[in-house]
Amino acid sequence: MSKSTISKHINDLLAEGICCELGEADQPGQGRKRTILSFCADFRYLLLLDFGQVQPRLALTDLYGVPLAQVPLSFDENTSQDRLKAQLVAGGEKILGNHQLVPEDLALLAVAAPGIVDRLGQSFYTDGYYAQWDLPGLCHELAGHYGLETFFYNDVNAAAWGEYIFKLDGQKNLVYVAGGSGLGLGLILNGELYLGSSGSAGEISNLLLAGLPALFKNDTQAISCVDADYIPFASRASIRVLLKELNRQKLEGKGDLSGHDSPLTYQDFYNLWKMGDSTAHLLSQSMGESLGIFLYNLSLLLDIDHIVLDPSYQPFAQYIDLTLKKLAAENERTQLKITISTLGDQASLSGLADLAMKTLLARWAS
């Protein structure tokens, strides 16, 4: 475009408040000094709904993804659809009220969703724990409450992208592994988020394992067309299954579990693991060994630089490492970098906000 056309567009952006001037750039010579421009972080705000690996939450960020507020969501298998909707609306109202914002200050609702995301249909499909609710419908109802568009992204992809943009260190290949209600991984290949031909790359919950019992003995989840000896990978390595088994053993009065009146949460499991509870450590060992075998095979398949595990996998790290030492030669282990994410919730929220902003800018540009 010509300079005059660009100037007109910039002036329009400045007049609308989307852009702002930061000052003049130092420039050698006698020419006209250049003006530094930026998008205004507070031109609009992003409302984010992250179903998370352990704790779902509603959050508010500016256009650069800087977190401003979070409201945790609490529900179990007995929570009704209407109750969930009421929680979401109340959480949104609380966030806006605390920051003295009105719905017109919001740009969009971005959702980090478990399962397979249909970007064209603006929906997603999930099985297991979350399948009992119409979560896409809830998201659209929340967006409609504020008059917003809804953008869906896979939750582990969002976390992978957040990890990548936060820790750019010359590495172009990264895998982020997380397991909440199911199990998934986010793939960064050659600096790009890889989604696959249908957008469902990284859905590993239903990878089949042979010759292993399910971690939770009542969790059959058998796929009818294959032999019953095969079990889905998620039945050995997801947080949701671990908690089901932990609560089953609590009912049987095992270890230090019987002193808890309410169902055990991930935080309860983590505290028990830190205190050295035998049941928690046996479950950690079982999951860690399964993950170690999977990560070894994944490293051979992808020849990846770096594998990052969700922080919820910290209790399994030592067993993953021990398993890798049994499987991999020493030179293979030194080449493979496996770490626990230090970003916590920030990875998912920052990745979700950045992906949402890219989508938003594309819409504004068109």
Side-chain angles (χ1 to χ4, degrees), residues 86-108:
Q87 256 199 89
L88 288 172
V89 172
E93 295 299 330
K94 181 179 180 181
I95 285 176
L96 291 179
N98 288 347
H99 287 78
Q100 299 181 326
L101 300 176
V102 295
E104 288 72 23
D105 293 320
L106 299 173
L108 55 81

Side-chain angles (χ1 to χ4, degrees), residues 49 51 81 84 88 109 111 113-118 121-127 130-144 150-152:
L49 174 54
F51 285 100
Q81 184 92 358
L84 260 180
L88 288 172
L109 171 66
V111 180
I116 299 172
V117 172
D118 177 3
Q122 285 302 298
S123 185
F124 64 93
Y125 167 78
T126 187
D127 56 10
Y130 283 130
Q132 56 196 302
W133 298 285
D134 176 16
L135 295 184
L138 280 173
C139 296
H140 285 303
E141 286 189 65
L142 179 63
T150 313
F151 294 94
F152 292 99

Side-chain angles (χ1 to χ4, degrees), residues 4 27 39 69 99 145 173 322:
S4 60
Q27 183 176 320
F39 285 106
H99 287 78
H145 181 76
N173 300 296
L322 287 171

Side-chain angles (χ1 to χ4, degrees), residues 17 331 348:
N331 64 323
S348 181

Side-chain angles (χ1 to χ4, degrees), residues 289 292-294 296-297 322-329 332-333:
E289 289 174 349
I293 294 169
F294 170 73
Y296 174 66
N297 289 323
L322 287 171
T323 303
L324 288 172
K325 285 180 179 178
K326 293 178 183 178
L327 295 174
E332 291 177 323
R333 295 199 307 273

Side-chain angles (χ1 to χ4, degrees), residues 249 254-256 272-273 275-284:
Q249 297 204 23
K254 293 187 177 180
D256 299 325
L272 288 165
W273 171 77
M275 291 187 298
D277 177 78
S278 59
T279 302
H281 274 267
L282 280 172
L283 292 175
S284 297

